[in-house]
Amino acid sequence: MARYGMIIDLRRCVGCYACVMACKAENLTPKGVSWNRLIVEEKGEYPKARMTFTPVLCNHCENPPCRDVCPTGATYKRSDGIVAVNQSKCIGCKYCMVACPYQARSIHEKSEGYFSKYGLTPLEQHGYKKHKKGAPSKCVFCYERVEQSKEPACVAACPTRARIFGDVTNPNSEISHLLEKNKTFRFIEELGTKPAVSYILDQAPKTERG
Amino acid sequence: MNLNRRQFIGLSTAVSALAFAGVSGTKLFEAYAGTEQDDAWIPTHCKACAADNRCHLLVHRVNGVAVKIEGNSDSPTNQGRNCAKSAAALLTLYNPYRVKFPVKRTNPQKGRGIDPKWVEITWDEALNTIAAKLKKVRGEDPRKFVFMTGHAASLNIDTDREFAEVFGTPNVIVGATSMACGGSASPINKIVNGGGQARADMLYCKYFLNLGANSQQGGKGNSEEADAFVNARSRGLKVVNVTPILSPSLAKTDEWVPIIPGTTGYFLLAMINVIVNELKVYDKEFLIKRTNAVYLVGEDGLYLRTNDKLKDHVRGLELGNPLVWDRSDNRAKAFDDPSLNEASLEGAFEIDGKKYRTTFEVLKEHVKEYTPEKGKEITGISPETVRRLAKEWVEEALIGKTITIDGVIYPYRPVAIIAEQGAKCHVDNYMVVHAAKILAELVGATDVPGSAKAAGSPTISINPVDGVNISEEFIYKPLKKNPERISLQDHSPIPGSSSGLAWLTMQDPKAYGFDYTPEVLGIWGGNPQALLGDFEQINKIFKDFPFTFAISYEFDEPTEFADIVLPESSWLERYGLTSFVPKTSFTEVFKTKGNYGWALQQPVLPKPLYNTKEGNQIILELSEKLGILNGKNGLLARLNESVGVREPFLLDLEKKYTWEEIIDLLCKSKTGGEKDLDWFKKNGLVTYDAFTIQKYYGYTKYPKARIPLYLEEFASHRVQLKKELEEKGIIRKPNNEFVLKQFTPLPFWEPHPEHKAAKEYDLYCINYKNMQHHFACNVGNAWLMEMTSEQDPYALNVMINRVTASKRGLKDGDRIEITSFIGGKVQGKVKTTNLIHTDVLGIAGAYGPHSANMNPEVKIGTAFADLLKLSEDLINPLKISLDRDLKVKIRKI
């Protein structure tokens, strides 16, 4: 069985927000909900300072704390490693939001859409069917796309191919090659969550990648 | 589409009887049912920015609703990827704050933020009213109609100039040029590189000296260029940014050299000085064979020529061939004399008792005064840094090295310099770009692998009299005694394409010698209030027009001065056809997928969402109402010459066409009749192998081209212009000398107005752009604005250096008032940072729109343009664009 993971090569990320918006558009997440975020920070002192970009999303942990605290089983781990949410089972207790060390969850509390004065646009009427009010939601690695052999929306959109998605159990996949050839890091590994999302540091040696 | 139009229109008509159209709180989409069963991917090309429509998209439509926009993987340019702007365009389509139907104002009062209290009218009433007003002025004097066009949300503008021409007015003006506008770089890019835009050849470049261009997130924010940049870095490209700010689009840099705004010209001249007078390392072979560096000029700055009388159409004179000094024969010969053996690059020569020098020698003398030492005070850059960068530049250029590509040997000069956007939005904009080109030419890094080159395949024409490249924008045009064009282009021998001066002349046309006063203003895109600046003056002009109509997608500030607004479809509801070629590099993708092609832009819904039409369609209908559509002097005849239709697909001058039908003829014309609109609707784009790599580099495509190091035509133009101004009694503001001074064959630097501001204005303030809101038409997009306000720490705030902020007792979130040395005022929220020069404030984009009927949630951020003021001494008189660097003072509020 596949185990899906993602590598974000920070050497290639130019902070363009394409991933953030691809996620918004693919999943039609409601106002105030962003499954895919870009953290923009600064490192160093003037004039040697640099702006850094770190895209973050659900880490699809091998040991997901959000699943462990879910009282109804709404949050579950699929056999391919994707941590998904069955919204119909969600009772909105928000334990998952507290448990997630990565703050990957956001809650859909407003239902009036982006243009409250005018009601929901046809686009929002179409998209918000998938989003239950009061249920904390998060990135699901676009599993519906993955099941159709497509890349997650953020990966497909990335103008600089900074994001690579694939099966880490397949030794021939691009992601396996990259994991093998590059020094990577994962967020807050000491918690034992075993995230499926890894990063190549911006300062890592430059290597050619097709 | 399933928004039930009848119900919708009926609903809004009923509502407008009770409330005003722009402000009604109706649940607009309640009628939406969504019963139509379909599931389709519609190919179209992007129009979310003006990156030449290069990105190709697929729009997913489910049951009549456009639900997702993705990149089209057939495309050799964006290769299936797409940026935030195109992904967010779904909300540009479904934005309920759009102009949804024709409206007229009921509030006669016009002003910033004043609600016109729009009410809905029919298309017939709207078009008939506009046609009646236009007919009246056409009968009196067609020049009284001024048509303002521009990018804004109206990027499909294919018929504006043609409409104005058949109407009889010369007054099509560009609404505004922003900091980002490449317009002022384009004439120099054309004459040097053979293309309006220049790009670093990212496939081979190893050292990139960037001065103000947003190279990293794509020159115009597109995927192809961002990818090329990142690939180049992974191959070891070194990036040096010499800029006042390290904005988000410059984040990936190896070295940052902070520079005081407006001093790039000095920095470049100092670099040139170090190279030619200290290091004395340059590409002699290139300078001798490929430039005019060896041409001889006299003390008047003009070429020494043979006595022939050949027609030189660039200068409008009869002239001989320029001479060079043959050192083996010790005498002057025509530049193309077959007996010429060894042309001198350096030296002064006495010929017939007069002194002549090579233009290279002139350059060497000219730059001597720009010492790195003196520059420390001016640019804020240490002399050591300038010398080190100059040394790096000549060393990294690998002078003498070659590279073989597809069996052809090229000079290999992997150094590129681009001085665009921020570096050239000044009174001396041409000169900054020219200085950057000289730096490149010195090491032979022009149009060869690894250097800056034309974006795409170059197109060069050569002046047969002097053998040097021509920029059609530099061809001398004699002046008219009384100007006709409101932008005063008749009073400039090389009129720029921007129209900053129109906003001055329209304040008092008689004072500028016009014998008419404009009476009807048409608006189709362009937003001078948000992008050019000086909204008070501009709004006064807008208010004074007896009648104004707009073709608009949204109620931006210009549109709110209209009397009637015609609703323009969003870019996802329009037709267009655009070509594409490799922009930065001839990559493997272009080799396999084809390097040239055509892509269709098409409506993604079966019918427009609202009661709108595309702008070109509106122009066709308006022309018909005015009686200027048909016949040999009509719009269709003019479109036959301009839109690209060819025999046998020319428009029948007596027929009536929709814009869609014209695009069908265009599809056939561009594919030799092979592919029609229906084919493109299904397939989106067609690619061809149109040229080889040899045709991609100017070096091999034009082996005889000589690139000007020295713009001798400017020396010639200056003499002619001086004479013409005197003879015709024309006085240009602020004075004729100011205008004449700009015609200089070699760039110079002197302090700009902001550098001479009173001491109390102790900080600079600059404008920068970011990728997500590149092109101001995206500011109204609710997804992009939500993302920006939540995730971008800079865009909506005022960037100030951390040390400077602490000295002034400022911290993040403090509110400040900024007053510019020319009197503009804005407020903003402080964001302290290490990424900006200690003397500089940075404000992004064109935020903070001021209009009554835009989505209130997008009306946030600081409007940089409100700090600007229009006056002739701040406008480059050649390109007519406004200086956009300011001195300011700040106050905590």
Side-chain angles (χ1 to χ4, degrees):
Chain A
M1 190 62 206
R3 163 87 169 111
Y4 288 116
M6 190 184 288
I7 284 195
I8 301 179
D9 187 346
L10 298 179
R11 297 170 302 184
R12 297 184 72 89
C13 175
V14 296
C16 72
Y17 295 97
C19 51
V20 176
M21 201 46 70
C23 177
K24 170 68 66 181
E26 176 71 27
N27 298 295
L28 296 167
T29 51
K31 195 175 182 185
V33 176
S34 190
W35 291 351
N36 211 320
R37 287 174 292 138
L38 181 69
I39 296 173
V40 182
E41 292 171 311
E42 294 181 16
K43 283 210 174 93
E45 290 301 310
Y46 176 86
K48 298 209 162 161
R50 295 290 181 270
M51 195 180 290
T52 65
F53 307 113
T54 316
V56 293
L57 66 165
C58 171
N59 277 292
H60 296 276
C61 306
E62 203 174 313
N63 304 316
C66 58
R67 178 202 54 187
D68 297 348
V69 298
C70 180
T72 63
T75 296
Y76 63 103
K77 204 173 97 183
R78 293 160 41 118
S79 55
D80 56 11
I82 296 177
V83 178
V85 184
N86 180 346
Q87 291 205 1
S88 65
K89 285 193 186 172
C90 177
I91 53 168
C93 70
K94 304 181 193 170
Y95 286 1
C96 54
M97 288 184 81
V98 180
C100 174
Y102 307 106
Q103 296 172 23
R105 299 232 174 193
S106 44
I107 191 153
H108 165 38
E109 281 175 318
K110 302 172 195 161
S111 57
E112 64 269 32
Y114 278 87
F115 311 101
S116 54
K117 200 172 94 177
Y118 289 100
L120 294 183
T121 60
L123 173 70
E124 292 168 299
Q125 290 180 37
H126 166 89
Y128 296 172
K129 286 176 203 154
K130 287 193 283 188
H131 300 283
K132 183 172 162 184
K133 201 180 160 189
S137 63
K138 63 165 199 74
C139 156
V140 293
F141 264 175
C142 287
Y143 63 75
E144 288 179 10
R145 289 176 62 102
V146 173
E147 283 164 9
Q148 294 166 46
S149 305
K150 286 180 171 181
E151 292 174 317
C154 58
V155 176
C158 181
T160 56
R161 290 175 296 147
R163 303 169 88 101
I164 306 300
F165 178 83
D167 178 4
V168 294
T169 62
N170 175 0
N172 297 319
S173 65
E174 189 182 2
I175 190 167
S176 296
H177 283 293
L178 283 170
L179 282 169
E180 192 188 293
K181 280 189 190 156
N182 292 281
K183 199 171 164 228
T184 57
F185 81 95
R186 296 182 290 180
F187 280 119
I188 335 183
E189 280 193 281
E190 59 276 20
L191 292 180
T193 49
K194 296 195 177 170
V197 179
S198 307
Y199 294 82
I200 301 175
L201 277 174
D202 195 14
Q203 291 79 10
K206 291 169 182 176
T207 51
E208 185 132 7
R209 212 187 75 206
Chain B
M1 172 60 228
N2 259 313
L3 167 61
N4 182 323
R5 275 255 305 266
R6 214 170 15 174
Q7 257 178 299
F8 162 59
I9 293 162
L11 179 71
S12 52
T13 311
V15 167
S16 66
L18 302 167
F20 294 103
V23 294
S24 99
T26 315
K27 297 290 182 235
L28 190 58
F29 301 102
E30 274 171 12
Y32 172 71
T35 50
E36 195 175 312
Q37 293 296 311
D38 78 328
D39 188 328
W41 287 89
I42 297 118
T44 190
H45 76 56
C46 193
K47 273 282 185 187
C49 81
D52 309 319
N53 321 322
R54 303 177 55 70
C55 294
H56 307 120
L57 307 171
L58 293 172
V59 180
H60 193 194
R61 190 181 65 209
V62 176
N63 298 341
V65 185
V67 301
K68 178 81 196 293
I69 300 175
E70 290 187 11
N72 183 346
S73 54
D74 289 346
S75 167
T77 60
N78 57 310
Q79 300 169 50
R81 311 162 203 164
N82 66 323
C83 79
K85 297 182 290 292
S86 61
L90 292 174
L91 281 218
T92 301
L93 174 65
Y94 287 107
N95 174 16
Y97 288 89
R98 286 168 57 178
V99 185
K100 300 183 282 284
F101 34 76
V103 293
K104 68 176 179 191
R105 67 165 54 242
T106 60
N107 180 4
Q109 209 196 336
K110 294 183 180 183
R112 168 168 270 194
I114 296 173
D115 189 348
K117 307 220 176 213
W118 303 113
V119 292
E120 185 177 0
I121 55 175
T122 62
W123 274 99
D124 265 348
E125 183 187 343
L127 287 171
N128 288 336
T129 310
I130 294 165
K133 298 280 184 188
L134 283 173
K135 265 186 185 157
K136 182 180 162 284
V137 294
R138 189 160 187 254
E140 295 163 3
D141 184 342
R143 298 175 302 175
K144 289 182 179 176
F145 169 47
V146 175
F147 202 6
M148 177 183 97
T149 65
H151 288 306
S154 302
L155 284 152
N156 290 88
I157 300 181
D158 304 281
T159 51
D160 56 329
R161 280 169 200 278
E162 295 79 356
F163 175 74
E165 205 173 297
V166 297
F167 184 88
T169 180
N171 292 323
V172 178
I173 61 169
V174 177
T177 49
S178 74
M179 173 273 297
C181 183
S184 47
S186 71
I188 303 268
N189 284 340
K190 279 179 196 164
I191 202 165
V192 172
N193 306 110
Q197 298 175 30
R199 293 285 188 279
D201 178 18
M202 285 296 174
L203 202 54
Y204 297 104
C205 188
K206 294 282 187 241
Y207 188 92
F208 181 34
L209 186 55
N210 183 45
L211 303 137
N214 282 1
S215 50
Q216 319 196 351
Q217 293 178 343
K220 287 223 167 89
N222 68 40
S223 302
E224 177 195 350
E225 294 186 37
D227 190 36
F229 174 80
V230 171
N231 287 338
R233 277 198 97 218
S234 74
R235 285 189 289 265
L237 173 74
K238 180 176 179 184
V239 184
V240 179
N241 277 299
V242 183
T243 50
I245 185 173
L246 212 56
S247 65
S249 50
L250 300 178
K252 291 269 188 274
T253 188
D254 296 284
E255 181 175 359
W256 175 36
V257 181
I259 185 171
I260 290 171
T263 67
T264 310
Y266 190 100
F267 164 75
L268 291 169
L269 289 161
M271 290 273 286
I272 295 168
N273 184 15
V274 171
I275 291 171
V276 298
N277 290 314
E278 294 181 18
L279 301 172
K280 298 185 179 162
V281 177
Y282 29 82
D283 189 337
K284 280 187 189 155
E285 192 186 344
F286 181 87
L287 288 168
I288 291 170
K289 288 188 182 153
R290 297 274 181 161
T291 74
N292 65 352
V294 292
Y295 289 23
L296 297 171
V297 291
E299 281 167 341
D300 55 5
L302 298 170
Y303 287 148
L304 171 65
R305 295 173 183 267
T306 61
N307 292 324
D308 298 304
K309 294 223 174 301
L310 308 163
K311 217 170 142 58
D312 183 306
H313 81 286
V314 174
R315 294 161 182 79
L317 299 168
E318 291 193 338
L319 297 164
N321 301 122
L323 297 168
V324 301
W325 189 261
D326 190 340
R327 51 199 287 193
S328 49
D329 272 3
N330 239 355
R331 67 180 179 92
K333 291 178 182 173
F335 74 96
D336 57 353
D337 188 324
S339 76
L340 177 63
N341 193 21
E342 206 185 350
S344 277
L345 180 60
E346 284 156 274
F349 311 92
E350 202 171 297
I351 301 165
D352 298 336
K354 285 185 184 165
K355 278 186 186 148
Y356 295 93
R357 292 176 294 170
T358 64
T359 63
F360 185 70
E361 191 69 37
V362 176
L363 174 73
K364 277 170 63 179
E365 285 298 315
H366 175 79
V367 294
K368 269 188 181 152
E369 65 171 295
Y370 299 95
T371 63
E373 282 69 23
K374 208 171 80 191
K376 190 175 184 325
E377 282 296 301
I378 294 166
T379 63
I381 301 173
S382 74
E384 298 75 45
T385 303
V386 174
R387 289 200 168 88
R388 176 176 54 80
L389 292 174
K391 195 160 170 282
E392 283 179 18
W393 180 253
V394 296
E395 283 176 1
E396 298 283 342
L398 306 178
I399 297 166
K401 285 265 178 352
T402 58
I403 186 172
T404 304
I405 303 171
D406 282 3
V408 178
I409 300 170
Y410 293 84
Y412 178 47
R413 301 287 176 274
V415 293
I417 177 168
I418 300 282
E420 293 207 354
Q421 279 114 22
K424 56 94 195 94
C425 54
H426 307 297
V427 280
D428 59 0
N429 58 24
Y430 273 93
M431 291 190 236
V432 175
V433 184
H434 186 192
K437 300 294 181 193
I438 292 175
L439 198 62
E441 288 173 49
L442 287 177
V443 295
T446 305
D447 299 294
V448 297
S451 72
K453 64 176 293 300
S457 176
T459 306
I460 282 170
S461 60
I462 298 168
N463 183 347
V465 180
D466 61 21
V468 180
N469 295 356
I470 293 169
S471 174
E472 79 268 18
E473 293 185 55
F474 287 168
I475 293 171
Y476 193 89
K477 292 183 189 67
L479 310 190
K480 286 186 176 156
K481 189 173 182 331
N482 289 312
E484 287 204 26
R485 300 184 69 168
I486 204 70
S487 53
L488 217 58
Q489 281 161 304
D490 314 310
H491 277 181
S492 179
I494 54 159
S497 62
S498 312
S499 314
L501 288 181
W503 302 111
L504 290 162
T505 61
M506 284 195 286
Q507 290 172 24
D508 188 0
K510 289 213 166 59
Y512 286 85
F514 290 95
D515 57 4
Y516 67 94
T517 303
E519 281 180 21
V520 175
L521 176 66
I523 298 170
W524 187 12
N527 192 340
Q529 289 93 333
L531 295 163
L532 186 65
D534 207 343
F535 71 93
E536 280 158 336
Q537 282 301 339
I538 287 172
N539 284 353
K540 190 176 175 307
I541 293 166
F542 272 72
K543 243 167 104 168
D544 289 347
F545 266 96
F547 181 75
T548 301
F549 70 92
I551 299 169
S552 292
Y553 156 83
E554 63 186 338
F555 292 108
D556 54 11
E557 192 164 353
T559 302
E560 287 200 332
F561 281 84
D563 297 291
I564 288 183
V565 185
L566 301 171
E568 185 179 27
S569 301
S570 74
W571 67 261
L572 287 163
E573 302 163 300
R574 303 180 197 154
Y575 284 103
L577 189 74
T578 312
S579 65
F580 54 90
V581 291
K583 202 89 190 187
T584 66
S585 301
F586 206 128
T587 56
E588 284 303 316
V589 183
F590 285 103
K591 286 182 195 164
T592 47
K593 291 196 173 188
N595 54 40
Y596 171 78
W598 287 91
L600 180 73
Q601 173 195 11
Q602 64 172 321
V604 301
L605 303 177
K607 275 190 284 184
L609 185 65
Y610 303 107
N611 186 15
T612 64
K613 296 180 187 191
E614 50 184 317
N616 289 312
Q617 177 65 29
I618 294 171
I619 293 293
L620 290 170
E621 292 179 22
L622 195 55
S623 301
E624 195 192 359
K625 291 228 184 252
L626 288 165
I628 56 172
L629 179 70
N630 298 114
K632 65 177 175 24
N633 296 318
L635 182 74
L636 297 181
R638 187 67 192 83
L639 292 179
N640 267 341
E641 297 161 12
S642 69
V643 294
V645 286
R646 303 262 181 282
E647 282 287 6
F649 307 110
L650 289 177
L651 301 166
D652 180 336
L653 303 189
E654 298 314 317
K655 267 181 72 178
K656 212 177 115 177
Y657 292 91
T658 63
W659 184 246
E660 182 181 353
E661 288 164 346
I662 294 176
I663 291 293
D664 180 43
L665 292 169
L666 196 56
C667 289
K668 292 172 189 157
S669 299
K670 294 298 181 192
T671 59
E674 277 180 15
K675 295 174 174 30
D676 61 3
L677 179 60
D678 280 340
W679 185 92
F680 274 101
K681 278 183 178 180
K682 281 184 214 100
N683 299 282
L685 62 125
V686 60
T687 47
Y688 302 100
D689 263 325
F691 49 85
T692 58
I693 289 184
Q694 286 97 291
K695 299 278 186 236
Y696 185 66
Y697 289 109
Y699 184 84
T700 33
K701 186 171 178 185
Y702 298 102
K704 290 219 156 97
R706 279 183 189 266
I707 297 159
L709 186 81
Y710 180 93
L711 289 169
E712 198 262 0
E713 55 265 65
F714 273 15
S716 167
H717 290 359
R718 184 169 174 166
V719 175
Q720 282 198 79
L721 177 62
K722 191 163 189 293
K723 202 164 136 238
E724 274 209 277
L725 290 171
E726 277 165 15
E727 280 175 9
K728 291 176 180 165
I730 296 165
I731 296 169
R732 286 280 304 266
K733 290 180 184 178
N735 54 65
N736 286 355
E737 194 44 44
F738 180 82
V739 179
L740 287 164
K741 205 166 61 178
Q742 295 289 328
F743 289 88
T744 169
L746 288 172
F748 61 84
W749 186 88
E750 59 181 21
H752 299 178
E754 71 268 19
H755 299 127
K756 294 180 272 190
K759 257 203 161 129
E760 58 174 315
Y761 299 96
D762 52 359
L763 289 169
Y764 290 89
C765 187
I766 59 163
N767 192 205
Y768 68 94
K769 62 178 183 177
N770 50 32
M771 188 159 176
Q772 75 267 28
H773 277 126
H774 175 72
F775 273 77
C777 52
N778 293 305
V779 167
N781 185 292
W783 275 353
L784 288 172
M785 191 54 88
E786 179 194 39
M787 180 189 78
T788 299
S789 73
E790 286 180 1
Q791 300 188 30
D792 187 328
Y794 307 105
L796 300 167
N797 299 319
V798 178
M799 287 175 77
I800 178 168
N801 184 284
R802 196 157 282 157
V803 174
T804 311
S806 125
K807 277 187 193 156
R808 291 167 188 247
L810 293 171
K811 56 181 190 318
D812 282 348
D814 283 350
R815 285 198 71 79
I816 53 170
E817 179 187 75
I818 306 169
T819 308
S820 72
F821 78 118
I822 38 182
K825 253 191 189 60
V826 297
Q827 294 187 355
K829 215 159 76 177
V830 165
K831 166 66 189 161
T832 61
T833 173
N834 285 318
L835 302 170
I836 196 161
H837 193 288
T838 46
D839 294 341
V840 183
L841 302 179
I843 298 174
Y847 292 107
H850 302 271
S851 77
N853 290 300
M854 275 176 85
N855 181 355
E857 293 184 27
V858 303
K859 293 198 280 181
I860 49 177
T862 299
F864 175 81
D866 287 359
L867 287 168
L868 299 165
K869 293 281 171 193
L870 284 164
S871 76
E872 275 95 345
D873 53 1
L874 295 168
I875 292 179
N876 176 285
L878 309 192
K879 198 60 199 184
I880 316 183
S881 56
L882 184 66
D883 196 307
R884 294 173 66 86
D885 281 350
L886 294 164
K887 265 301 197 49
V888 298
K889 59 181 176 185
I890 57 172
R891 183 173 71 85
K892 194 171 161 182
I893 47 172

